[in-house]
Amino acid sequence: MDEPPALETLAETFALSPFERALVLLCAGVELDGRFAEAWGRPTLGVALASLPDPHWSALAPAAPLRRWRMLELGGGPLTSASLKLDERILHYLTGVQYLDERLDGIVGAPVEAAELPGSHELVAAAVVEAWSRDDMGSAAIALLGSDPAAKLAVAAAACHRFGIVLRVVEAAAIPAAPAEQEGLRRLWSREAMLEGAALFVDCEAADSEREQAAARFVEDLRVPVITAGATPLRGLRRPVVRLTLAKPTPSEQRALWERVAGPELNGTLDGLIAQFDLGTRAILAAQIQAAAGEGNAGVRLWEACRVQARPALDDLAERIEPVAGWDDLVLPDAQSELLHTIVAHVRHRGEVYDAWGFRDTGGRGLGISALFAGVSGTGKTMAAEVLARDLRLDLYRIDLSQVVSKYIGETEKNLRRVFAAAEESATILLFDEADALFGKRTEIRDSHDRYANIEVSYLLQRMEAYRGLAILTTNLRNALDQAFLRRLRFVVEFPFPGAAQRQEIWRRVFPARTPVGALDPERLAQLNVAGGTVRNIALNAAFLAAEARERVGMSHVLRAARSEYAKLEKPLTGAETGGWS
């Protein structure tokens, strides 16, 4: 035989004594050959002690290999007369049948196949192999850190393939928290890992703090190869941990992968894709498959497929806004409009300026594109964000600060870190509404709450400066924001309350082309001293009133709608605003 018999491998792997090995063989013989049962009867420890060579009582001690690794099952009654039965997984192993112990089904996943890696990821896989080569593979845990879960799994699979072992995955959520259940799982998996020659990939990417603690307790006493994956290492581990950080493939590696999967016909669009989307290997392959199934321009299909691939990470953390407004819908003074076009230019050409023109080499700070939209409610701040997203063909996500800000110390920064990390793949436009709720003026430190409130402001500044996309903050109260905070924003756009000429233009554009309108007078409608958001509410209400009356939208409908809107705002509708209306 080219390889030793399974019985010899089992005895060597679990350090069985000759007597323990003979016990296993005896119990296997009874299961596989009826002549054993005729000759030996029911296997018991007493029979084995009296009949097998080199007997020792400790063979069935709870800490001895046969009991510790649950190879033999004991029947009831006194120990010497209790029946001995070989565990089914061990029996099949001895006969050459390999499978995952059924008690691990639903907890541990199928083996992960190795795939080709980018060069930078090959180096990380080699570092894992090197760590295992220098170690006994049990004393140190490997912690893969970074923002790309798929890449970490691929690196772990490649490292295991190089080392000649199998990789299986367990989600942190599947690890029991109860000590007794956890110890049972630990022993069962450890035995399986030694039988199969396997490493365990503990996925903590989506785990909350309670699940992370359970995973840490499980990993702490696991003395078989283990790799953990998460944004941060598991806390509280006393065993050695080899920490390896995994970045996304470099731009040159992404280009090589795009060229391999998409072909040379996309060379003209690759610069824009690589500058905008920081995708991992698996996401690039998925985007290409999705784009290939569509029709129309290949570059446009691929761009949209990349947007879709980058969405899932943020969908659970923020609200995605589908942009419908365009430049023609936005009524602003020339200075503000020009500033918004400048923001578009910064986002669209940042790859060329930062990388091709060398500005990234001068320092990484300040490369994030951040903007503050300030103005009273209804002046078009959110609409302007939609216009930018539509022009740039990027997703727009609105961050609900009520879900981000936490009263517990450190939780706000943790929530912000999750948001920015999830948005990095596509450099999504992030819209923080009512930013003054979180980013007000830093206060004099009187207690620990003041100190941590200031830390939250500083943390957001750091993340916005490092974020590769566009982050927009909106506020109704610019004066409430910290001046140091304002100085570190690249753009500040004031949205003024619209004057009569601007209101007149808003009224001209507020009704869609398909709306049946009568003799509307934009000049008289502009007498209503309200912002654009209120104009839209009045127009919408007037449309419903006209629809109910089976009439075209006229001045009378707008007047009724205006009275209703003013009452809602607890604001008087003056004669000067409605003078000359019929």
Side-chain angles (χ1 to χ4, degrees):
M1 298 175 65
D2 294 334
E3 297 181 1
L7 179 63
E8 302 303 328
T9 302
L10 183 78
E12 181 179 354
T13 300
F14 294 95
L16 301 182
S17 69
F19 178 63
E20 292 166 337
R21 175 188 176 283
L23 269 177
V24 170
L25 182 60
L26 171 62
C27 293
V30 171
E31 298 287 347
L32 298 173
D33 193 332
R35 292 173 297 175
F36 268 73
E38 293 175 4
W40 289 85
R42 185 185 66 176
T44 64
L45 177 60
V47 170
L49 289 172
S51 308
L52 298 177
D54 302 319
H56 56 92
W57 176 267
S58 61
L60 290 185
L66 295 181
R67 294 278 300 280
R68 174 176 174 77
W69 300 116
R70 303 182 180 181
M71 297 185 192
L72 295 183
E73 300 173 9
L74 292 179
L79 186 59
T80 55
S81 60
S83 61
L84 302 179
K85 180 176 177 60
L86 191 64
D87 181 81
E88 185 178 1
R89 174 69 177 96
I90 301 298
L91 177 65
H92 288 145
Y93 173 82
L94 293 177
T95 60
V97 178
Q98 282 287 13
Y99 66 96
L100 181 69
D101 193 305
E102 60 183 7
R103 287 165 289 190
L104 293 172
D105 283 345
I107 300 175
V108 177
V112 181
E113 297 292 333
E116 184 179 356
L117 297 177
S120 58
H121 292 182
E122 287 281 2
L123 295 176
V124 180
V128 174
V129 174
E130 177 67 16
W132 279 341
S133 300
R134 293 178 177 274
D135 184 57
D136 61 5
M137 295 183 64
S139 66
I142 306 294
L144 294 181
L145 312 176
S147 60
D148 189 347
K152 284 180 269 192
L153 183 60
V155 165
C160 290
H161 179 72
R162 289 185 183 184
F163 212 81
I165 58 178
V166 173
L167 179 69
R168 291 184 182 269
V169 180
V170 63
E171 301 283 344
I175 298 175
E181 294 179 26
Q182 196 173 97
E183 177 60 22
L185 175 62
R186 186 184 294 111
R187 289 196 186 188
L188 199 58
W189 167 253
S190 297
R191 189 186 79 174
E192 189 67 26
M194 289 187 281
L195 289 175
E196 186 180 32
L200 189 64
F201 184 90
V202 182
D203 187 352
C204 304
E205 300 288 353
D208 56 23
S209 57
E210 183 178 348
R211 293 295 184 182
E212 284 185 354
Q213 292 173 7
R217 292 193 297 270
F218 178 74
V219 169
E220 177 63 44
D221 296 322
L222 198 63
R223 290 298 179 263
V224 290
V226 60
I227 299 173
T228 66
T232 57
L234 291 177
R235 298 176 182 177
L237 290 180
R238 296 183 298 275
R239 66 185 295 184
V241 179
V242 178
R243 295 176 172 86
L244 300 172
T245 300
L246 191 67
K248 292 285 179 62
T250 64
S252 61
E253 291 170 344
Q254 291 183 35
R255 176 180 292 278
L257 181 57
W258 277 119
E259 290 174 345
R260 187 166 73 247
V261 301
E265 64 273 9
L266 290 176
N267 284 342
T269 62
L270 286 184
D271 289 338
L273 283 174
I274 295 169
Q276 183 59 51
F277 300 100
D278 188 20
L279 299 179
T281 303
R282 185 174 298 179
I284 289 175
L285 296 175
Q288 169 57 21
I289 294 172
Q290 180 177 337
E295 297 180 355
N297 182 276
V300 173
R301 294 201 316 269
L302 201 54
W303 181 280
E304 294 303 316
C306 289
R307 286 176 61 180
V308 172
Q309 287 299 318
R311 282 175 185 167
L314 257 179
D315 279 339
D316 294 335
L317 302 174
E319 174 194 1
R320 182 162 60 89
I321 300 175
E322 193 66 40
V324 294
W327 289 107
D328 291 339
D329 301 306
L330 196 60
V331 179
L332 286 174
D334 291 343
Q336 280 78 2
S337 182
E338 182 179 349
L339 197 51
L340 292 177
H341 279 89
T342 302
I343 294 174
V344 170
H346 278 237
V347 176
R348 182 168 286 147
H349 300 291
R350 68 176 182 274
E352 180 181 5
V353 173
Y354 290 166
D355 298 316
W357 292 9
F359 272 79
R360 193 181 301 279
D361 298 336
T362 63
R365 291 189 59 188
L367 297 183
I369 304 173
S370 55
L372 175 72
F373 290 176
V376 298
S377 179
T379 51
K381 301 185 294 295
T382 302
M383 178 184 283
E386 284 189 43
V387 170
L388 299 184
R390 184 176 178 183
D391 191 354
L392 291 164
R393 291 162 50 206
L394 296 176
D395 286 328
L396 172 65
Y397 279 86
R398 177 162 48 202
I399 312 301
D400 184 357
L401 286 178
S402 67
Q403 301 297 318
V404 171
V405 179
S406 173
K407 66 180 180 180
Y408 298 106
I409 290 174
E411 284 298 310
T412 298
E413 295 93 316
K414 183 177 179 180
N415 294 337
L416 286 170
R417 180 169 59 246
R418 291 177 61 205
V419 168
F420 279 104
E424 283 288 353
E425 275 197 354
S426 64
T428 294
I429 298 177
L430 297 178
L431 177 65
F432 291 87
D433 255 342
E434 309 297 339
D436 46 282
L438 176 58
F439 311 117
K441 293 181 179 179
R442 282 176 280 192
T443 60
E444 178 184 349
I445 296 177
R446 296 186 179 90
D447 57 27
S448 60
H449 294 285
D450 293 333
R451 179 179 296 109
Y452 282 101
N454 292 346
I455 289 174
E456 290 168 0
V457 175
S458 300
Y459 179 77
L460 178 83
L461 287 171
Q462 295 169 14
R463 289 303 282 116
M464 289 179 66
E465 288 184 333
Y467 181 52
R468 59 188 297 271
L470 170 61
I472 300 174
L473 310 175
T474 70
T475 179
N476 298 340
L477 303 168
R478 173 177 173 172
N479 292 335
L481 294 177
D482 192 306
Q483 290 301 311
F485 179 78
L486 291 175
R487 283 194 297 271
R488 292 168 69 177
L489 298 172
R490 186 176 300 189
F491 298 98
V492 176
V493 184
E494 289 283 357
F495 286 73
F497 191 89
Q502 291 173 329
R503 293 199 298 272
Q504 188 172 332
E505 191 61 35
I506 293 172
W507 276 110
R508 285 195 178 97
R509 305 180 188 188
V510 71
F511 290 103
R514 296 196 302 273
T515 304
V517 295
L520 293 177
D521 186 345
E523 185 175 352
R524 288 181 176 173
L525 292 173
Q527 294 172 185
L528 295 172
N529 192 27
V530 292
T534 305
V535 168
R536 187 182 185 281
N537 290 342
I538 294 173
L540 183 62
N541 194 6
F544 277 105
L545 292 173
E548 175 65 20
R550 301 293 183 182
E551 298 171 350
R552 290 176 174 272
V553 180
M555 295 293 285
S556 61
H557 304 116
V558 175
L559 180 58
R560 288 175 58 192
R563 286 173 177 158
S564 176
E565 190 68 19
Y566 271 59
K568 182 182 72 176
L569 298 174
E570 298 183 344
K571 179 180 178 181
L573 182 59
T574 66
E577 292 177 284
T578 58
W581 289 28
S582 57

